[in-house]
């Protein structure tokens, strides 16, 4: 229901191939250069709606140009030299965070089609191992895919999806070795272990038919927009595959998956403001896709199938969404209201099973699960005890069941997996996240506050701090937010954050507009021509925290990534005086240039998220008023760390690189400004869990140093995990 996750990519309009570069020399001895790298200015201009924009650093888009690589290498060398004093702290943090992870661990098994499926990890191995047991949890283990073996010798390795055939005999998996979301589809025989077939250049999304030899898969256009569904039969050449559906309109993304009821393959065709789904019977994969509900402007919906009915979660005359139901029969579907719209409850989605459904709702900013008996329509809530928490469905593939599984956690409750019996109401704890080095929840306290925004709106803030910490402004504080696409940021458990809090730093999440924490209106008020609410909310929350003694501006840190990196860029221009340090991860900061280029991933469909600066003078002027890259000024800026990945396909590396180059040329202070480029990673950084942990330790060491806690005593390990 909420919009697509990730963030974008792209860049300016004209670039000068092979543009010259001036970079201060980096001594071979490894000594820090006297000055940071300086990128040469190569002006290019764009005139739009009577306004001429000059871009001095558009040449950085030339990924394969030697001058660009030299510049990025110089930035990395400068960053390493400038932070080398933190090497010991980084290693301490890494070991500390690693000590909180059970390296050899196993998920709770999930029952599906005659097997118990689970994932486990082994100590020292960077990737998960996918396993199953036939018929019984005590049956011999079968490893049906070991990602460690696949990733051996690879700089990057990611799986874009796994899909076992209904009879359990075959596995489809998608593999990316580039970090640029370039997938190859493999079909593995789970009896022999042999690869039966492979198809290059596919996209996320697969679905098996009932015959165990026919499956559907996806391809994408040049801008990495899933646009086409194909049907393939094992043993037949991929060149003869049937195009089942194609969406030419760049505003819409296509996906494909098999329903929980196993009766249909769904083809989704969603934009940010409207939807159109299709269904194909799994027993008749060659059938013409059936439209569930015709597309209408400004009407979004999502579909679940449950036995005799289709269920439709829609915003049709229902801002907070409602649920309609139609009998599954031939001919036009006759929809009737099943769950009405409510101003008090925002419907996030529904899971439908043979005899019950679970409606995921959000009330008063907190997630709720409501169980509905499909025979009687009676409902009851699954209750949760804490004032701030996160809960989500977890591993519920079976249609004929009376058990619903979910995971729950909070700032001070490690992730717990529960099985809820919908008949008896009994809740069984199946597994709780272990913290090997020890965890004592009583050492911390959690606050949930409502901070007043400048327009009178109350913005939720979730706060984690050491027990008894004084509210006298003495504590450094890290404020995090995302605030885009209707994605909700929950106050869930993070063992890594404890390394900050144990050293005396408070951690807070600002639930700013742009997410859906407070309902659909919260999202609508943080996008398009209301996007500045996201930035203003974050600033107003920061001022609230300072005013109420949680911290002071000379020890206040801010962090956000991707679209949250746009937020970091905006606040750095709007209120650089309010923050001591800002860390922007893979930030979307070159808004106008990116949104002008529909050939880049995510751009075209997101004209309904940010606006189209070429088509609308109003959208252009609004973007120009907040775009971080276009609003850098000659003034002081906080201490800053900016991260990116060379192969990021969602926020292209050149956005943060250009932004840093412009900041260097304009800022009047002597505060450190570093660009850290992962030369092999993607949007999420490195692919292996240990490398990702090292990236976190680098960021946390930088933040601790900036707020004066680099030499704070390390936390004392506890003998056992107590919660």
């Amino acid at each position: 229901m909420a919009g697509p996750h990730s963030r974008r990519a792209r860049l300016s309009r004209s670039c000068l191939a092979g543009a010259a570069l001036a970079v201060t020399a980096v001594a071979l001895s490894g000594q820090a250069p006297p000055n940071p790298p300086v990128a040469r200015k190569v002006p290019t201009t764009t005139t739009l709606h009577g306004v001429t924009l000059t871009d001095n650093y558009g040449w950085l888009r030339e990924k394969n140009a030697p001058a660009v690589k030299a510049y990025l290498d110089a930035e990395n060398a400068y960053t390493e030299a400038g932070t080398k004093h933190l090497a010991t702290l980084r290693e301490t943090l890494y070991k500390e965070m690693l000590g909180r992870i059970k390296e050899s661990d196993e998920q709770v098994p999930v029952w599906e089609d005659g097997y118990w499926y689970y994932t486990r990890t082994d100590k020292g191995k960077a990737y998960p191992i996918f396993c199953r047991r036939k018929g019984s949890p005590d049956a011999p283990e079968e490893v049906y895919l070991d990602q460690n073996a696949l990733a051996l010798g690879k700089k990057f390795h990611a799986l874009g999806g796994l899909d076992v055939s209904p009879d359990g005999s075959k596995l489809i998996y998608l593999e990316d070795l580039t970090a640029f979301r370039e997938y190859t589809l493999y079909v593995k025989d789970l009896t022999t272990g042999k690869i039966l077939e492979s198809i290059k250049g596919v996209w996320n999304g697969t679905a098996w038919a009932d015959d165990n030899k026919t499956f559907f898969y996806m391809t994408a256009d040049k801008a990495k927009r899933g646009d086409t569904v194909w049907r393939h039969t094992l043993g037949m050449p991929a060149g003869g595959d049937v195009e089942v559906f194609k969406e030419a309109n760049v505003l819409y993304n296509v996906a494909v998956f098999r329903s929980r009821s196993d009766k249909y393959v769904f083809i989704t065709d969603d934009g940010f403001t409207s939807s159109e789904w299709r269904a194909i019977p799994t027993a008749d994969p060659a059938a013409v896709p059936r439209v569930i509900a015709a597309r209408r402007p400004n009407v979004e919906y999502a579909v679940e199938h449950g036995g005799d009915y289709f269920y439709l979660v829609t915003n049709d005359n229902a801002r907070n969404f409602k649920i309609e139901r139609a009998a599954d029969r031939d001919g036009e579907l006759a929809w009737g209201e099943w769950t009405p719209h409510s101003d008090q409850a925002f419907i996030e989605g529904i899971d439908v099973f043979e005899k019950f459904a679970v409606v995921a709702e959000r009330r008063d900013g907190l997630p709720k699960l409501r169980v509905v008996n499909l025979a009687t329509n009676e409902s009851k809530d699954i209750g949760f005890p804490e004032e701030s928490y996160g809960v989500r469905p977890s591993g519920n593939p079976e249609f004929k069941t009376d058990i619903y599984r979910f995971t729950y956690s909070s700032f001070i409750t490690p992730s717990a997996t529960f099985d809820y019996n919908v008949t008896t109401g009994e809740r069984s704890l199946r597994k709780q996240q272990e913290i090997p080095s020890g965890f004592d929840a009583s050492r911390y306290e959690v606050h949930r506050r409502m901070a007043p925004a400048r327009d009178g709106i109350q913005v939720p803030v979730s706060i984690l701090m050491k027990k008894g910490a004084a509210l006298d402004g003495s504590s450094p504080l890290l404020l995090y937010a995302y605030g885009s696409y209707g994605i909700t940021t929950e106050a869930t458990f993070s063992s890594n954050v404890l390394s900050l809090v144990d050293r005396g730093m408070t951690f807070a999440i600002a639930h700013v507009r742009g997410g859906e924490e407070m309902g659909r209106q919260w999202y609508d008020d943080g996008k398009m021509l209301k996007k500045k609410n996201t930035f203003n909310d974050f600033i107003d929350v920061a001022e609230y925290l300072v005013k109420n003694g949680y911290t002071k501006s000379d020890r206040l840190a801010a962090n956000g990534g991707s679209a949250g990196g746009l937020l970091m860029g905006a606040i750095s221009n709007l209120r650089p005086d309010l923050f001591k340090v800002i860390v922007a991860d893979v930030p979307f900061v070159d808004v106008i240039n990116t949104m002008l280029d529909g050939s880049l991933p995510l751009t075209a469909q997101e004209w309904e998220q940010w606006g189209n600066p070429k088509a609308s003078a109003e959208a252009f002027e609004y973007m120009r008023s907040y775009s971080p890259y276009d609003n850098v000024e000659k003034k002081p800026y906080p201490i800053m760390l900016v991260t990116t990945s060379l192969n990021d396909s969602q926020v292209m590396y050149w956005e943060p690189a250009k932004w840093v180059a412009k900041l260097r040329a304009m800022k009047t202070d002597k505060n450190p400004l570093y660009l850290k480029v992962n030369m092999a990673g993607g949007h999420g950084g490195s692919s292996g869990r240990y490398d990702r942990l090292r990236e976190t330790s680098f960021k946390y060491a930088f933040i601790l140093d900036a707020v004066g806690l680099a030499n704070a005593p390390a936390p004392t390990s506890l003998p056992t995990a107590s919660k």
Side-chain angles (χ1 to χ4, degrees):
M1 210 94 29
H5 286 46
S6 330
R7 204 20 329 211
R8 63 259 323 326
R10 67 84 42 90
L11 183 308
S12 119
R13 50 174 47 250
S14 57
C15 302
L16 191 60
L21 170 69
V23 179
T24 50
V26 180
L28 294 178
S29 64
Q31 297 298 311
N35 297 300
V38 178
R40 177 174 293 184
K41 297 179 180 179
V42 183
T44 59
T45 60
T46 299
T47 300
L48 199 62
H49 305 297
V51 177
T52 298
L53 301 178
T54 300
D55 187 355
N56 290 321
Y57 305 104
W59 61 270
L60 282 169
R61 181 172 175 165
E62 299 296 323
K63 183 176 181 178
N64 296 320
V68 172
K69 185 178 185 304
Y71 176 75
L72 298 180
D73 286 343
E75 286 285 4
N76 274 340
Y78 177 71
T79 297
E80 184 57 37
T83 61
K84 64 180 181 181
H85 65 290
L86 298 175
T88 299
L89 177 58
R90 290 199 296 258
E91 187 63 22
T92 298
L93 290 170
Y94 173 77
K95 291 179 178 178
E96 201 173 282
M97 292 186 289
L98 185 61
R100 298 193 192 99
I101 296 172
K102 188 178 181 184
E103 294 182 73
S104 295
D105 203 1
E106 186 175 302
Q107 287 182 338
V108 180
V110 174
W111 176 256
E112 184 175 13
D113 295 332
Y115 289 86
W116 289 100
Y117 286 89
Y118 59 97
T119 301
R120 62 177 173 83
T121 54
D122 286 351
K123 184 176 182 178
K125 294 184 178 180
Y127 299 95
I129 301 167
F130 299 90
C131 310
R132 66 182 184 177
R133 300 177 189 270
K134 188 172 184 178
S136 167
D138 300 322
E141 179 183 83
E142 175 190 345
V143 174
Y144 64 93
L145 194 72
D146 184 350
Q147 191 177 352
N148 298 283
L150 295 176
L152 194 63
K154 311 293 194 308
K155 291 183 178 180
F156 182 92
H157 192 276
L159 294 174
L162 284 78
D163 195 351
V164 178
S165 61
D167 67 356
S169 67
K170 302 173 189 71
L171 169 72
I172 296 172
Y173 68 91
L174 276 60
E175 182 181 57
D176 173 26
L177 304 180
T178 68
F180 203 65
R181 296 187 295 168
E182 301 282 353
Y183 297 105
T184 298
L185 182 153
Y186 294 95
V187 182
K188 180 180 179 181
D189 188 317
L190 295 182
T191 301
T192 65
K194 294 181 179 180
I195 300 299
L196 301 176
E197 297 180 10
S198 64
I199 305 173
K200 292 184 177 180
V202 306
W203 192 241
N204 304 89
T206 58
W208 285 97
D210 287 346
D211 61 9
N212 300 292
K213 65 178 182 179
T214 304
F215 64 83
F216 300 85
Y217 67 94
M218 294 280 305
T219 56
D221 64 13
K222 292 181 179 179
K224 296 190 179 297
R225 175 185 66 92
D227 68 342
T228 309
V229 177
W230 301 85
R231 187 177 71 244
H232 178 79
T233 301
L234 291 176
M236 302 298 290
D241 288 350
V242 176
E243 182 183 293
V244 177
F245 176 76
K246 183 168 186 175
E247 176 57 81
N249 192 325
V250 296
L251 297 179
Y252 303 117
N253 289 278
V254 178
V256 64
F257 64 95
R258 184 178 169 106
S259 70
R260 180 187 287 110
S261 68
D262 289 327
K263 188 173 180 179
Y264 292 103
V265 167
F266 283 131
I267 297 174
T268 72
D269 188 17
D270 292 328
F272 277 106
T273 60
S274 64
S275 312
E276 188 171 80
W277 286 41
R278 289 165 171 79
I280 300 172
T282 54
D284 186 11
V288 175
R290 175 190 190 183
V291 175
I292 299 297
R295 186 185 304 281
R296 288 186 288 151
N298 300 312
V299 175
E300 301 169 55
Y301 70 79
V303 180
E304 272 276 286
H305 181 259
D308 297 328
Y309 293 92
F310 288 105
Y311 293 79
L312 195 81
V313 182
T314 180
N315 69 340
D316 186 14
N317 293 313
R319 180 181 292 276
N320 272 345
F321 288 78
K322 62 184 178 182
I323 304 176
E324 297 182 344
R325 188 169 76 166
D328 180 3
R329 63 188 182 194
D330 294 336
E332 185 176 352
L333 297 173
W335 297 100
E337 188 172 82
W338 188 69
T339 298
H341 172 267
S342 170
D343 290 331
Q344 283 70 49
F346 168 57
I347 297 175
E348 295 184 306
I350 184 174
D351 286 330
V352 182
F353 301 85
E354 182 183 34
K355 297 179 180 179
F356 70 96
V358 178
V359 180
E361 299 177 334
R362 185 163 292 273
R363 302 179 217 146
D364 299 322
L366 293 172
K368 308 289 183 179
L369 296 177
R370 182 167 57 87
V371 180
V372 184
N373 183 313
L374 295 180
T376 65
N377 214 35
E378 295 177 344
S379 67
K380 55 186 174 182
D381 286 351
I382 302 175
F384 304 104
E386 297 177 86
E387 64 174 328
S388 187
Y389 59 86
V391 63
R392 60 179 176 81
S394 175
N396 293 289
E398 278 291 299
F399 184 63
K400 296 181 178 181
T401 181
D402 59 358
I403 299 296
Y404 188 75
R405 180 170 293 175
F406 62 88
T407 60
Y408 172 92
S409 78
S410 73
F411 274 157
I412 57 172
T413 302
S415 181
T417 300
F418 289 93
D419 279 352
Y420 179 83
N421 188 306
V422 299
T423 302
T424 66
E426 182 182 358
R427 184 183 322 195
S428 303
L429 176 63
R430 296 297 307 278
K431 180 181 175 67
Q432 184 149 36
Q433 178 184 353
E434 295 182 43
I435 312 298
S437 61
F439 173 68
D440 182 357
S442 68
R443 297 170 60 175
Y444 310 95
E445 58 184 271
V446 176
H447 298 176
R448 181 175 172 84
R449 300 289 183 260
M450 301 300 287
R454 63 196 65 185
D455 60 359
I457 293 294
Q458 298 291 308
V459 181
V461 192
S462 299
I463 304 166
L464 173 66
M465 55 197 301
K466 290 184 77 171
K467 187 77 171 181
L471 295 180
D472 58 3
S474 61
S475 296
L477 185 146
L478 173 59
L479 183 61
Y480 173 86
Y482 185 73
S484 287
Y485 305 104
I487 295 172
T488 294
T489 306
E490 305 282 23
T492 52
F493 186 78
S494 169
S495 63
N496 293 338
V497 166
L498 298 179
S499 287
L500 301 178
V501 180
D502 285 343
R503 285 173 169 80
M505 191 167 199
T506 297
F507 176 72
I509 297 173
H511 302 284
V512 296
R513 280 173 281 187
E516 285 181 329
E517 284 88 338
M518 301 299 288
R520 183 55 177 238
Q521 187 71 50
W522 204 248
Y523 167 42
D524 291 340
D525 286 345
K527 68 174 184 176
M528 299 296 282
L529 298 179
K530 296 181 179 181
K531 187 60 198 172
K532 289 182 188 177
N533 283 334
T534 303
F535 318 140
N536 293 337
D537 284 356
F538 191 88
I539 290 169
D540 294 344
V541 167
E543 290 185 327
Y544 169 87
L545 293 170
V546 170
K547 180 180 179 180
N548 286 273
Y550 284 96
T551 191
K552 291 182 179 177
S553 60
D554 63 357
R555 59 206 67 182
L556 177 57
N559 178 223
S562 198
L566 164 65
L567 170 58
M568 295 300 102
I571 65 166
S572 72
N573 288 326
L574 292 169
R575 287 297 306 276
D577 60 303
L578 186 56
F579 303 93
K580 178 70 172 180
V581 55
I582 294 176
V583 177
D585 296 313
V586 292
F588 165 46
V589 286
D590 191 12
V591 181
I592 293 176
N593 284 322
T594 293
M595 298 310 295
L596 282 173
D597 189 347
S599 71
L600 289 169
L602 303 180
T603 289
Q605 57 266 44
E606 293 194 0
W607 287 330
E608 294 183 321
Q609 186 69 219
W610 311 96
N612 185 336
K614 186 175 182 179
S616 168
E618 183 180 26
F620 168 72
E621 286 297 337
Y622 192 76
M623 288 180 185
R624 192 161 73 99
S625 71
Y626 73 74
S627 172
Y629 183 62
D630 295 287
N631 284 278
V632 174
E633 298 176 322
K634 286 188 176 295
K635 62 184 179 185
Y637 281 84
I639 298 169
M640 296 179 71
L641 170 66
V642 182
T643 70
T644 187
S645 291
L646 184 64
N647 296 320
D648 191 336
S649 67
Q650 289 150 275
V651 179
M652 298 294 184
Y653 72 88
W654 61 72
E655 289 203 41
K658 288 172 55 179
W659 183 44
V660 167
K662 189 171 184 178
L663 280 165
R664 286 250 175 78
M666 299 285 284
K667 73 192 195 83
T668 59
D669 60 87
K670 294 184 179 180
N671 287 329
L673 168 61
Y674 296 119
L675 175 65
K676 184 172 176 59
V677 186
N678 185 326
M679 300 299 283
H683 192 57
S686 298
S687 56
R689 58 175 177 160
Y690 296 109
D691 289 340
R692 288 198 300 270
L693 206 58
R694 289 199 177 277
E695 290 170 350
T696 301
S697 69
F698 185 97
K699 178 169 71 175
Y700 282 8
F702 184 85
I703 292 171
L704 288 168
D705 185 48
V707 298
L709 290 178
N711 297 316
T716 303
S717 295
L718 299 171
T720 58
S722 62
K723 191 172 181 66

